Amino acid sequence: MSTQPIIKKAIAYVTNKDELMVFRHTDFPEAGVQVPAGTVEQREEPSEAVLRGIYEESGIKGVRIIELLGIYQYNMAPYRDEIQERYVYHLELTEPTPSTWRHWEMHSSTSKNSIAFDFYWVRLDSSDLCLAGGQGYFLSELVHKNNNGDSDHN
């Protein structure tokens, strides 16, 4: 049995039609292409955490949750001694957003300094879309739903 702590995380697949919102760390491009994600705080639901995480990392408030795509566990070794229980949500943009923008996260869990993120949109069917750190676990399901019009867009 693992002695690693289990940390709940909320991951956001934010779409605008057939595009996915992604970012790179401005000062650490080697961290790869990522989507907004954050730790689920005590007494917070994963659905609340995902909305908070999107706002803190991107500055975007105009989103709505479409669905919880699923939950999986990801071992962060050797980078961190933890298992992440990841709640992956599909969200839809509800207000206009630039095609690219820079946002500074002010409340990072790993640093007291603000961290700059460069955001942009990529096509969901992009064959070169590879999310860092195992964040792409449910991406093929999202692409399939998008291609087949299975998402609930009320």
Side-chain angles (χ1 to χ4, degrees):
M1 182 167 185
S2 175
T3 60
Q4 293 171 287
I6 295 178
I7 308 297
K8 288 185 178 181
K9 296 285 186 172
I11 294 179
Y13 292 166
V14 179
T15 59
N16 183 17
K17 298 183 178 82
D18 62 347
E19 294 183 316
L20 179 70
M21 183 173 75
V22 298
F23 71 91
R24 286 190 176 275
H25 284 264
T26 307
D27 297 324
F28 304 99
E30 66 275 11
V33 176
Q34 299 180 43
V35 292
T39 302
V40 178
E41 304 293 341
Q42 282 190 349
R43 294 184 290 283
E44 183 179 44
E45 292 296 321
S47 59
E48 297 168 324
V50 78
L51 293 170
R52 178 180 51 78
I54 292 167
Y55 178 68
E56 287 177 0
E57 290 188 359
S58 74
I60 302 296
K61 281 189 174 181
V63 295
R64 72 177 181 101
I65 295 174
I66 301 294
E67 66 180 319
L68 173 66
L69 292 171
I71 304 166
Y72 70 102
Q73 290 193 342
Y74 188 79
N75 189 337
M76 290 299 294
Y79 306 106
R80 290 189 206 153
D81 185 31
E82 68 186 34
I83 303 287
Q84 292 185 352
E85 182 174 88
R86 295 175 167 186
Y87 294 74
V88 182
Y89 288 89
H90 175 206
L91 301 96
E92 181 178 66
L93 191 67
T94 61
E95 62 184 37
T97 305
S99 59
T100 64
W101 70 99
R102 179 169 288 172
H103 185 76
W104 287 265
E105 181 181 24
M106 304 308 283
H107 303 288
S108 171
S109 60
T110 59
S111 172
K112 297 198 184 313
N113 299 323
S114 61
I115 299 174
F117 298 133
D118 288 324
F119 279 87
Y120 57 101
W121 296 91
V122 294
R123 289 185 54 84
L124 268 175
D125 61 2
S126 176
S127 60
D128 63 349
L129 180 57
C130 182
L131 297 178
Q135 288 187 334
Y137 193 85
F138 285 109
L139 200 53
S140 62
E141 181 177 332
L142 180 61
V143 170
H144 177 76
K145 287 176 181 261
N146 188 67
N147 290 341
N148 292 312
D150 290 346
S151 291
D152 176 25
H153 297 291
N154 292 336

